[in-house]
Amino acid sequence: MSDPKNPGTATPPPTLGEGCTSRYDPEALSEEDGTEFPGAAELWDSLKPASPDEEKPASD
């Protein structure tokens, strides 16, 4: 990067909706956009709080 004032060339993918309902267009996304996250389920399981059913021991 020779010129610190040179603007970046990255552009976000197209979006659908406006305001709070704005989201990336799923049809425009590809593997190059980094949409693949194979470890998402495992990460979510490790971060989400336990449900009330899991906190209580089973009563017989």
Side-chain angles (χ1 to χ4, degrees):
M1 188 164 167
S2 58
D3 184 9
K5 294 185 179 186
N6 190 12
T9 58
T11 57
T15 57
L16 300 173
E18 295 179 12
C20 293
T21 62
S22 180
R23 63 201 180 281
Y24 292 123
D25 181 3
E27 297 295 321
L29 297 176
S30 69
E31 290 186 22
E32 292 180 8
D33 295 313
T35 58
E36 201 54 39
F37 185 11
E42 291 81 15
L43 178 61
W44 174 245
D45 286 338
S46 70
L47 296 177
K48 72 178 180 180
S51 69
D53 294 337
E54 294 174 359
E55 292 176 357
K56 298 178 186 176
S59 58
D60 292 308

